[in-house]
Amino acid sequence: MKDDYKCKVDTIDKQIIELLVKDGRMSYADIGKELDLSRVSVRSRVNQLMECGVIEKFSCVVNSEKMGKGVSAFFEVDCEPRALVDVAENLANNPYVASCYQMTGPSTLHMHVLVEDFIELESFVNNELYALEGITRVESHILLRRFKSRSGLKL
Amino acid sequence: MKDDYKCKVDTIDKQIIELLVKDGRMSYADIGKELDLSRVSVRSRVNQLMECGVIEKFSCVVNSEKMGKGVSAFFEVDCEPRALVDVAENLANNPYVASCYQMTGPSTLHMHVLVEDFIELESFVNNELYALEGITRVESHILLRRFKSRSGLKL
Amino acid sequence: MKDDYKCKVDTIDKQIIELLVKDGRMSYADIGKELDLSRVSVRSRVNQLMECGVIEKFSCVVNSEKMGKGVSAFFEVDCEPRALVDVAENLANNPYVASCYQMTGPSTLHMHVLVEDFIELESFVNNELYALEGITRVESHILLRRFKSRSGLKL
Amino acid sequence: MKDDYKCKVDTIDKQIIELLVKDGRMSYADIGKELDLSRVSVRSRVNQLMECGVIEKFSCVVNSEKMGKGVSAFFEVDCEPRALVDVAENLANNPYVASCYQMTGPSTLHMHVLVEDFIELESFVNNELYALEGITRVESHILLRRFKSRSGLKL
Amino acid sequence: MKDDYKCKVDTIDKQIIELLVKDGRMSYADIGKELDLSRVSVRSRVNQLMECGVIEKFSCVVNSEKMGKGVSAFFEVDCEPRALVDVAENLANNPYVASCYQMTGPSTLHMHVLVEDFIELESFVNNELYALEGITRVESHILLRRFKSRSGLKL
Amino acid sequence: MKDDYKCKVDTIDKQIIELLVKDGRMSYADIGKELDLSRVSVRSRVNQLMECGVIEKFSCVVNSEKMGKGVSAFFEVDCEPRALVDVAENLANNPYVASCYQMTGPSTLHMHVLVEDFIELESFVNNELYALEGITRVESHILLRRFKSRSGLKL
Amino acid sequence: MKDDYKCKVDTIDKQIIELLVKDGRMSYADIGKELDLSRVSVRSRVNQLMECGVIEKFSCVVNSEKMGKGVSAFFEVDCEPRALVDVAENLANNPYVASCYQMTGPSTLHMHVLVEDFIELESFVNNELYALEGITRVESHILLRRFKSRSGLKL
Amino acid sequence: MKDDYKCKVDTIDKQIIELLVKDGRMSYADIGKELDLSRVSVRSRVNQLMECGVIEKFSCVVNSEKMGKGVSAFFEVDCEPRALVDVAENLANNPYVASCYQMTGPSTLHMHVLVEDFIELESFVNNELYALEGITRVESHILLRRFKSRSGLKL
């Protein structure tokens, strides 16, 4: 894309991003005060960072347990190799699936799933996951403890 | 905690959250217009959702590759069981580590790491990860393709 | 179900259960004496515990070896994911199968089997288990030594 | 032991055992009626079956979930071979551990654990299991669904 | 079989067997001298041991390398469970196959193969083994060093 | 060794070996008749085959189950690499161990063990095998069924 | 082949080969000077070493990264055993594939792939590798660091 | 390094490299004729390609089997993570080791070894490899068949 030159991220951009990762609703005026910039200059930089895709969007981080998603599960999904992309796109459309990646290592899909409880998990596994054509083996694990969970950076 | 009764999330709360996940900087006035609520009522609900921890924070989603983090790696870190919590807390303080979880399944730590390139990855592995006491085996995989990566919900 | 409120288990219920786990034929009068309750009160509590399913049934613990079941085997049964529930229900009807569970981890069924000897085991494996459609791989292990085997609590 | 000849289990013994497995509190009079035996003869046979260990005890089957044990977990515990028996005996004394076996296959202990919830599970894993000397690796899985769970026969 | 009572092996039988395992051509007269038995008595005992199958046959132990079988390989052969017995009987007829067992553990066949060299091994693998229907995966290992290889006892 | 030229095995040698593998006590006269050779010539060839090690010894094949060795077990023994040869030599001296090999593949020892029953197996595992220094993990499997077991050729 | 006797490699041949492995363009005159041979004699020996295949060819070692092949990947390709040779020959014709071997161990193909970057790698995996019939599972790993990479000897 | 701009490889460079990969001793005059360049220009380009490291060196490809290296083995070497770099550097100095890499995936070293025969292999494994401190487990596989082995490109 022709505007890629705009994507150079300088030190001031990085400082703005850092503040917005910490508080995504911080006003441009307050950012400006902290960094000794005008409100207009902050807005112009933020707009540019969004245009070239450095900032993908503003969002809020929601606690999945308090939203009733008490069980956080990781899946390794083995597919017939020829079916992998289809299975992955199918799973990406499933509302229980929070993320779905293809990695090096074994030819599995790595998937994160959020469900309310074990009953919903069992139903997801047996009725939605195992029902898909092209899946040959599944390995699932449940989150026991979070030591770090950085928000703001797209994995 | 005594204020847990405030954490009941009703349908209107869910609609507000949905809008804020899509655009974390949407003004309370605009949210009010969309949902037929006053600006004051939106603000009061958002404040309550933050107080009881349903909304953990507002943030912005940054594209790690455009920020120069071109390699996204997943690690399974085997520890001597007695050292696991110490190793996990140590890794949680490492700036390359984006997330670190303890799961059911094998007694490993599941860790996401973002680095600039393979040189930085090799240096992270040999100088920072393998240097930690109590680590017995490591398995690493590199992200090949994202099929879904939902932001806004803490995994 | 509407009667779930009856399922609150208080301290006295727990003491009754403890006595009945130890000796399932202990008379209600003897339980009453031990806990300073009337025989009628004990019976009423036991009936309630059975009605709401806390006590599933009274039974006797039989020594499988002395009943001629000399070999206790554990199986991990890999199925084609779409066939797993059918295979599980089929195995649950097999008289050699003592228990059959679906677990997180690999998409296998976990199964306990009691047979008389190795000849019966080989016959079960080759004629009954391997003959089922939808099974892709089986792993079997034989009990060497029991360190603990708590009866009374449904696993 | 010299009284092993008493352990011959004949067809009538088997019928009595079957009735007692189904209802451990069935009266000897009712068993007698069903099998066309005198009450005295039933009692004498039951006493003999208990003396020679065919019937290990009478008990009641308690629903672990309704007793507040909502999470049923299976562990494979790898030990330094020389520490295996010590670790096993140590775990057998832990109140969370329902059963603990040594199997053929990998030199691990197979263990069933019943806990209230994930917080208790995480605490058991990190504070009680991983703290034991001689444990090198652990694999844990959570029960998703019971297809069969035969009570009455000691596994 | 009705003659099983003849199979009791007493101490003198065991001493005879021990001598014959060491030297299968030792004359009955020499055995008699060593054990203080008549030649006739030795012959009668050996005949009985052969009749009831304790001694399966007399044989000679041949050095496979000096017979031109320079490569000794072990295979783990994964089969579709329903095909396992057919595959095993098929392999048992293959002249390169020295032994073929079904074990507990994974549902594989354990097989020993003796070939002249790597060219013959590659040809056996690609043309004879992989060509069989019902085989899904194979694992092969080559003998590096013999620490013990007891002849005389059927494994 | 200087006498290696004597180890050329010609067609007649092979025919003699074949007869002796089938019946290790066949008289040289009978062999001679079958192959149209003199008794002296057969004896001279057999002596030469023994001198250069083609025939290692004459023996008898004993049925291990009828000798009271009812359980045939295979072990994969993981050692600290530096301890492997010591562990192997130690195990080779153990009377329960029928064979012990070092293979390519994982750095384990492959071992065959013959024991009377599960009690002897459990005792061998916990008291003799796990007690050895330098062993880190063991995997054991029990023989279910023999499809082929060629005697006469040293594996 | 009848000319195999020419393949005896003597000490002088080995010295010549050593010099040519270090510098494949070293002139025969210079080699001669170093080894005290005539230029003609060097040429005649080199020609003979090429004729009988000891020297397969002269080549130059190109740095794959500087040629734009930034990612070096190793693959373990699981095939249906009957399809293995076809898959291997198919992959051998793929320009991204640098080498492809069949090994003992699991029945996989071992393959080295050189690609420009992760985009090309993902495309190779999903469009070329996974699209092949007969492949059941793939495992991939990326080169992190070279400790030794001897050129000149065909692996 | 400041001269990196010289490393741009144009189409003519690529054609020269291709010819030299096929025949590393092709004269610059012949290359020039084929590509319509002067001998001087070819030499100047080759020199530049060597200066900036695109061409690492000229060499000859030697057939390892005809040089008496009949067994080609791959090793996966598990190390204590803290010892991995030391072990790798140690192995890189071992004359039997043809290459040694650190990969993503398990924290093992990937190593290629060339030896004369199985006796040399067993000696390498037990005396040189297993004797190194910091090695915890080794997996070895032997080359059965080469489907492709591209020379000229450093893997």
Side-chain angles (χ1 to χ4, degrees):
Chain A
M1 62 197 91
K2 73 178 194 302
D3 296 327
D4 257 16
Y5 67 93
K6 287 193 296 190
C7 278
K8 297 276 165 56
V9 178
D10 66 19
T11 321
I12 292 168
D13 290 333
K14 283 189 179 162
Q15 290 172 318
I16 294 172
I17 287 170
E18 226 163 279
L19 290 171
L20 286 169
V21 163
K22 275 195 206 124
D23 176 5
R25 286 185 80 88
M26 192 176 187
S27 75
Y28 295 155
D30 286 354
I31 295 174
K33 255 178 252 161
E34 195 131 327
L35 304 180
D36 213 11
L37 295 166
S38 73
R39 188 182 155 282
V40 170
S41 156
V42 171
R43 179 161 51 191
S44 141
R45 280 172 176 270
V46 170
N47 286 346
Q48 193 136 315
L49 289 167
M50 292 187 76
E51 257 169 63
C52 69
V54 175
I55 294 178
E56 298 202 334
K57 68 169 184 166
F58 291 95
S59 186
C60 67
V61 177
V62 179
N63 185 307
S64 52
E65 278 130 18
K66 298 207 172 165
M67 284 290 281
K69 297 294 189 182
V71 176
S72 185
F74 285 29
F75 286 84
E76 298 294 328
V77 182
D78 268 43
C79 309
E80 291 162 26
R82 304 173 88 178
L84 183 133
V85 172
D86 280 356
V87 168
E89 285 168 355
N90 199 319
L91 288 171
N93 289 326
N94 188 305
Y96 292 112
V97 175
S99 56
C100 181
Y101 307 111
Q102 185 181 10
M103 316 290 296
T104 65
S107 55
T108 59
L109 291 168
H110 187 88
M111 181 171 75
H112 297 182
V113 165
L114 295 167
V115 289
E116 249 177 73
D117 51 26
F118 269 66
I119 295 162
E120 206 173 276
L121 181 63
E122 192 265 332
S123 160
F124 170 76
V125 166
N126 285 332
N127 302 329
E128 309 206 22
L129 186 58
Y130 286 7
L132 283 180
E133 220 161 327
I135 291 186
T136 53
R137 204 169 195 271
V138 172
E139 180 124 5
S140 59
H141 302 303
I142 309 295
L143 181 69
L144 272 185
R145 180 166 168 186
R146 267 180 208 92
F147 287 96
K148 189 181 198 175
S149 184
R150 190 154 86 193
S151 54
L153 257 189
K154 193 176 82 171
L155 202 65
Chain B
M1 62 198 90
K2 71 177 194 304
D3 295 327
D4 257 14
Y5 68 93
K6 286 194 295 190
C7 279
K8 296 276 162 59
V9 178
D10 67 20
T11 322
I12 292 168
D13 291 333
K14 283 189 180 162
Q15 290 173 317
I16 293 172
I17 288 169
E18 228 165 275
L19 290 171
L20 286 169
V21 163
K22 275 194 206 126
D23 177 4
R25 286 185 79 88
M26 194 175 185
S27 76
Y28 295 155
D30 286 353
I31 293 174
K33 255 178 252 163
E34 196 130 328
L35 302 181
D36 214 11
L37 295 167
S38 72
R39 187 183 156 282
V40 170
S41 155
V42 171
R43 179 160 51 190
S44 143
R45 280 171 176 272
V46 169
N47 285 347
Q48 192 135 318
L49 289 166
M50 294 187 74
E51 257 170 63
C52 67
V54 176
I55 294 178
E56 298 203 332
K57 70 168 182 166
F58 291 94
S59 185
C60 67
V61 178
V62 179
N63 185 306
S64 52
E65 279 129 17
K66 297 206 173 167
M67 283 289 282
K69 296 295 190 182
V71 176
S72 183
F74 285 28
F75 286 84
E76 300 293 329
V77 182
D78 269 41
C79 308
E80 291 161 26
R82 304 174 89 175
L84 184 133
V85 171
D86 279 356
V87 169
E89 284 169 354
N90 199 321
L91 288 170
N93 289 327
N94 188 305
Y96 292 113
V97 174
S99 56
C100 182
Y101 306 111
Q102 185 181 9
M103 316 289 298
T104 66
S107 56
T108 58
L109 292 167
H110 187 87
M111 180 171 75
H112 297 182
V113 165
L114 295 167
V115 289
E116 250 176 72
D117 50 27
F118 269 65
I119 296 162
E120 207 174 277
L121 181 63
E122 192 265 333
S123 160
F124 169 76
V125 166
N126 285 332
N127 302 330
E128 310 205 21
L129 187 57
Y130 286 6
L132 283 180
E133 220 161 325
I135 291 185
T136 53
R137 205 168 194 269
V138 173
E139 181 123 6
S140 60
H141 302 303
I142 309 294
L143 182 69
L144 271 184
R145 181 168 167 185
R146 267 180 208 92
F147 287 97
K148 188 178 198 174
S149 183
R150 191 152 85 191
S151 53
L153 258 189
K154 194 177 81 172
L155 202 64
Chain C
M1 62 197 88
K2 71 178 194 301
D3 295 328
D4 258 15
Y5 69 93
K6 288 194 295 191
C7 279
K8 296 275 165 56
V9 178
D10 66 20
T11 320
I12 293 168
D13 291 333
K14 283 190 181 161
Q15 289 173 318
I16 295 172
I17 288 169
E18 227 164 277
L19 290 171
L20 287 168
V21 163
K22 275 194 207 126
D23 177 3
R25 285 184 82 87
M26 192 174 185
S27 75
Y28 295 155
D30 286 354
I31 294 174
K33 255 178 251 161
E34 194 131 330
L35 302 180
D36 213 11
L37 294 167
S38 72
R39 187 183 156 282
V40 171
S41 157
V42 171
R43 180 162 48 191
S44 143
R45 279 173 176 271
V46 169
N47 286 348
Q48 190 135 318
L49 288 167
M50 293 187 76
E51 255 170 66
C52 68
V54 175
I55 293 178
E56 298 202 335
K57 68 170 183 167
F58 291 93
S59 187
C60 68
V61 177
V62 179
N63 184 306
S64 51
E65 278 129 18
K66 298 206 173 166
M67 284 289 282
K69 298 292 190 184
V71 176
S72 183
F74 286 27
F75 287 83
E76 300 293 329
V77 182
D78 268 42
C79 308
E80 293 163 25
R82 304 174 87 175
L84 184 133
V85 172
D86 280 356
V87 169
E89 285 168 354
N90 200 320
L91 289 170
N93 289 327
N94 189 305
Y96 293 114
V97 175
S99 56
C100 181
Y101 307 110
Q102 185 181 8
M103 316 290 297
T104 66
S107 56
T108 59
L109 292 167
H110 187 89
M111 182 170 75
H112 297 182
V113 166
L114 294 168
V115 290
E116 249 177 73
D117 51 26
F118 268 68
I119 295 162
E120 206 173 277
L121 182 62
E122 193 264 332
S123 161
F124 169 77
V125 166
N126 284 332
N127 302 330
E128 309 205 23
L129 186 58
Y130 286 7
L132 284 180
E133 219 160 326
I135 291 187
T136 53
R137 202 166 197 271
V138 173
E139 181 122 7
S140 60
H141 302 304
I142 309 296
L143 182 68
L144 272 184
R145 180 166 168 186
R146 266 181 209 91
F147 287 97
K148 189 181 198 175
S149 185
R150 190 154 85 192
S151 53
L153 255 189
K154 193 176 81 171
L155 202 65
Chain D
M1 62 197 92
K2 70 175 194 305
D3 295 327
D4 257 13
Y5 68 93
K6 286 194 295 190
C7 279
K8 294 277 164 56
V9 179
D10 67 21
T11 321
I12 292 167
D13 290 334
K14 281 190 182 162
Q15 289 172 318
I16 293 171
I17 287 170
E18 226 164 278
L19 289 171
L20 286 169
V21 163
K22 274 195 207 124
D23 177 5
R25 286 184 80 89
M26 194 175 184
S27 75
Y28 295 155
D30 286 351
I31 293 174
K33 255 178 250 163
E34 196 131 326
L35 303 180
D36 214 11
L37 296 166
S38 72
R39 187 182 155 284
V40 169
S41 156
V42 172
R43 181 163 47 192
S44 139
R45 280 172 177 271
V46 170
N47 286 346
Q48 190 136 318
L49 289 166
M50 292 187 76
E51 256 170 65
C52 68
V54 176
I55 293 178
E56 299 202 334
K57 69 169 183 167
F58 292 94
S59 185
C60 68
V61 178
V62 179
N63 185 306
S64 53
E65 279 130 16
K66 297 205 174 168
M67 283 290 282
K69 296 294 191 182
V71 176
S72 183
F74 284 29
F75 287 84
E76 299 294 329
V77 182
D78 270 42
C79 309
E80 292 162 26
R82 306 173 85 175
L84 185 132
V85 173
D86 280 356
V87 169
E89 285 169 354
N90 199 320
L91 288 170
N93 288 327
N94 188 306
Y96 292 113
V97 175
S99 56
C100 181
Y101 307 111
Q102 184 182 11
M103 316 289 298
T104 66
S107 55
T108 59
L109 292 167
H110 188 87
M111 180 171 75
H112 296 183
V113 166
L114 294 167
V115 289
E116 249 176 72
D117 51 26
F118 269 66
I119 295 162
E120 206 173 276
L121 181 62
E122 193 265 333
S123 161
F124 169 76
V125 166
N126 284 332
N127 302 330
E128 309 206 21
L129 187 57
Y130 286 7
L132 284 180
E133 219 160 328
I135 292 186
T136 53
R137 206 169 193 270
V138 173
E139 181 125 5
S140 59
H141 302 303
I142 309 296
L143 180 69
L144 272 184
R145 180 167 167 184
R146 268 181 207 90
F147 287 97
K148 188 179 199 173
S149 183
R150 190 153 84 192
S151 53
L153 258 187
K154 194 176 81 172
L155 201 65
Chain E
M1 65 198 87
K2 69 177 195 302
D3 295 328
D4 257 15
Y5 68 92
K6 288 193 296 191
C7 278
K8 296 276 166 57
V9 179
D10 66 19
T11 321
I12 293 168
D13 291 333
K14 283 191 181 163
Q15 289 172 320
I16 295 173
I17 288 170
E18 226 163 278
L19 290 171
L20 287 168
V21 163
K22 275 195 206 123
D23 176 4
R25 286 184 81 87
M26 192 174 186
S27 75
Y28 296 154
D30 286 353
I31 293 173
K33 254 178 253 159
E34 195 130 330
L35 304 180
D36 214 11
L37 296 166
S38 72
R39 186 183 156 283
V40 171
S41 156
V42 171
R43 179 161 51 190
S44 142
R45 281 173 174 272
V46 169
N47 286 347
Q48 191 136 317
L49 287 168
M50 292 187 77
E51 256 170 66
C52 67
V54 175
I55 293 179
E56 298 202 334
K57 67 170 185 166
F58 291 95
S59 186
C60 68
V61 178
V62 180
N63 185 306
S64 52
E65 277 130 20
K66 297 205 173 166
M67 284 290 281
K69 298 292 189 183
V71 176
S72 184
F74 284 28
F75 286 84
E76 300 293 329
V77 181
D78 268 41
C79 309
E80 292 163 27
R82 305 174 86 177
L84 184 133
V85 172
D86 280 357
V87 168
E89 284 168 355
N90 200 320
L91 289 170
N93 289 328
N94 188 305
Y96 293 113
V97 174
S99 56
C100 181
Y101 307 111
Q102 184 182 8
M103 316 290 296
T104 65
S107 55
T108 59
L109 292 167
H110 188 88
M111 181 171 76
H112 297 182
V113 165
L114 294 167
V115 290
E116 248 177 74
D117 52 25
F118 269 67
I119 295 162
E120 207 174 274
L121 181 61
E122 192 266 332
S123 161
F124 169 76
V125 166
N126 285 331
N127 302 330
E128 310 207 22
L129 186 57
Y130 287 5
L132 284 180
E133 219 159 328
I135 291 185
T136 54
R137 204 167 194 271
V138 173
E139 180 123 7
S140 59
H141 302 303
I142 310 296
L143 182 68
L144 271 184
R145 180 166 168 185
R146 267 180 209 89
F147 287 96
K148 187 180 199 174
S149 183
R150 190 154 85 193
S151 54
L153 255 189
K154 194 176 80 172
L155 201 65
Chain F
M1 65 197 89
K2 72 177 194 303
D3 294 328
D4 256 13
Y5 67 93
K6 288 194 295 190
C7 277
K8 293 276 164 58
V9 179
D10 67 20
T11 321
I12 293 168
D13 291 332
K14 284 190 181 163
Q15 290 172 319
I16 294 172
I17 288 170
E18 228 164 277
L19 290 171
L20 286 169
V21 163
K22 276 197 206 121
D23 177 5
R25 285 185 80 89
M26 193 176 186
S27 75
Y28 296 155
D30 287 351
I31 294 174
K33 255 178 250 159
E34 194 131 328
L35 303 180
D36 215 11
L37 296 166
S38 72
R39 187 182 155 287
V40 170
S41 156
V42 171
R43 181 164 47 194
S44 140
R45 279 173 176 271
V46 169
N47 286 347
Q48 191 136 319
L49 288 167
M50 291 187 76
E51 256 171 64
C52 68
V54 175
I55 293 176
E56 298 202 335
K57 68 168 184 168
F58 291 94
S59 185
C60 67
V61 177
V62 179
N63 185 305
S64 52
E65 279 130 18
K66 299 206 173 166
M67 284 290 281
K69 296 294 189 182
V71 176
S72 184
F74 284 28
F75 286 84
E76 299 294 329
V77 182
D78 269 43
C79 309
E80 290 163 28
R82 307 173 85 173
L84 184 133
V85 172
D86 280 357
V87 169
E89 285 168 354
N90 199 321
L91 289 171
N93 288 329
N94 188 305
Y96 293 112
V97 175
S99 55
C100 180
Y101 306 111
Q102 184 182 11
M103 316 290 297
T104 66
S107 55
T108 59
L109 292 167
H110 187 89
M111 181 171 75
H112 297 183
V113 165
L114 294 167
V115 289
E116 250 178 72
D117 51 25
F118 268 66
I119 295 161
E120 205 173 277
L121 182 61
E122 193 264 335
S123 160
F124 170 76
V125 167
N126 285 332
N127 302 330
E128 310 208 20
L129 187 56
Y130 287 6
L132 283 180
E133 218 160 329
I135 292 187
T136 53
R137 206 169 193 270
V138 173
E139 180 124 6
S140 60
H141 302 302
I142 309 295
L143 182 68
L144 271 184
R145 180 166 167 185
R146 267 180 207 90
F147 287 96
K148 188 179 198 173
S149 183
R150 190 153 86 193
S151 54
L153 256 187
K154 193 177 80 173
L155 200 65
Chain G
M1 64 196 89
K2 71 179 194 302
D3 296 327
D4 257 14
Y5 67 93
K6 287 194 297 190
C7 279
K8 295 276 166 56
V9 179
D10 67 18
T11 321
I12 293 167
D13 290 333
K14 282 190 181 164
Q15 290 172 318
I16 294 172
I17 287 169
E18 225 163 281
L19 290 171
L20 286 169
V21 163
K22 273 196 207 126
D23 177 5
R25 287 184 79 87
M26 193 176 185
S27 75
Y28 296 154
D30 286 353
I31 294 173
K33 254 178 253 162
E34 195 130 328
L35 304 180
D36 215 10
L37 296 166
S38 73
R39 185 183 156 282
V40 171
S41 155
V42 172
R43 180 160 51 192
S44 141
R45 280 172 175 271
V46 170
N47 286 347
Q48 191 136 317
L49 287 167
M50 292 187 75
E51 257 170 64
C52 68
V54 175
I55 293 178
E56 298 202 336
K57 68 170 183 165
F58 291 94
S59 186
C60 67
V61 178
V62 179
N63 184 307
S64 52
E65 277 130 18
K66 297 205 174 169
M67 283 290 281
K69 298 293 189 183
V71 177
S72 185
F74 285 29
F75 286 84
E76 299 295 328
V77 182
D78 268 42
C79 308
E80 291 162 26
R82 306 173 85 177
L84 184 133
V85 172
D86 280 356
V87 168
E89 284 169 354
N90 199 320
L91 288 170
N93 288 327
N94 188 305
Y96 293 112
V97 175
S99 56
C100 181
Y101 307 111
Q102 184 181 10
M103 316 290 296
T104 66
S107 56
T108 59
L109 292 168
H110 188 87
M111 181 172 74
H112 297 182
V113 165
L114 294 167
V115 289
E116 248 175 73
D117 51 26
F118 270 65
I119 295 163
E120 208 174 275
L121 181 63
E122 191 265 335
S123 160
F124 169 77
V125 166
N126 284 331
N127 302 330
E128 310 206 20
L129 186 58
Y130 286 6
L132 283 180
E133 219 161 327
I135 291 186
T136 53
R137 204 168 195 271
V138 173
E139 181 123 6
S140 60
H141 302 302
I142 308 296
L143 181 68
L144 271 185
R145 181 165 167 186
R146 267 180 208 90
F147 286 96
K148 188 180 198 174
S149 182
R150 189 154 87 193
S151 54
L153 257 188
K154 192 176 81 171
L155 201 62
Chain H
M1 63 198 88
K2 71 177 194 304
D3 294 328
D4 257 14
Y5 68 94
K6 286 194 296 189
C7 278
K8 294 277 162 56
V9 178
D10 66 20
T11 321
I12 294 168
D13 291 334
K14 283 189 181 164
Q15 291 172 318
I16 294 172
I17 288 170
E18 228 164 277
L19 290 170
L20 286 169
V21 164
K22 276 195 206 125
D23 176 5
R25 285 186 79 88
M26 192 176 186
S27 76
Y28 295 154
D30 287 352
I31 293 173
K33 255 178 252 161
E34 194 130 330
L35 301 180
D36 213 12
L37 295 168
S38 73
R39 186 182 155 284
V40 171
S41 156
V42 170
R43 179 159 51 191
S44 141
R45 279 172 175 272
V46 169
N47 286 346
Q48 191 135 321
L49 287 167
M50 293 188 75
E51 255 170 65
C52 67
V54 175
I55 293 177
E56 298 203 334
K57 69 168 183 168
F58 291 94
S59 185
C60 67
V61 178
V62 179
N63 185 306
S64 52
E65 278 129 19
K66 297 205 174 167
M67 284 289 283
K69 297 293 189 183
V71 176
S72 184
F74 285 26
F75 286 84
E76 299 293 329
V77 182
D78 268 42
C79 308
E80 291 162 26
R82 305 174 87 173
L84 184 133
V85 172
D86 279 356
V87 169
E89 283 168 355
N90 199 320
L91 289 170
N93 289 328
N94 188 305
Y96 292 113
V97 175
S99 56
C100 182
Y101 306 111
Q102 186 182 8
M103 316 290 297
T104 66
S107 55
T108 58
L109 291 168
H110 187 88
M111 180 171 76
H112 297 181
V113 165
L114 294 166
V115 289
E116 250 177 72
D117 51 25
F118 269 66
I119 295 161
E120 207 174 276
L121 182 62
E122 192 264 334
S123 159
F124 170 76
V125 166
N126 284 332
N127 302 330
E128 310 206 20
L129 187 56
Y130 286 6
L132 283 180
E133 217 160 329
I135 291 185
T136 53
R137 204 169 195 270
V138 172
E139 180 124 6
S140 60
H141 301 304
I142 309 296
L143 182 69
L144 271 184
R145 182 166 165 185
R146 265 180 210 91
F147 287 96
K148 188 179 199 174
S149 184
R150 191 154 86 192
S151 55
L153 256 188
K154 193 177 80 173
L155 201 64

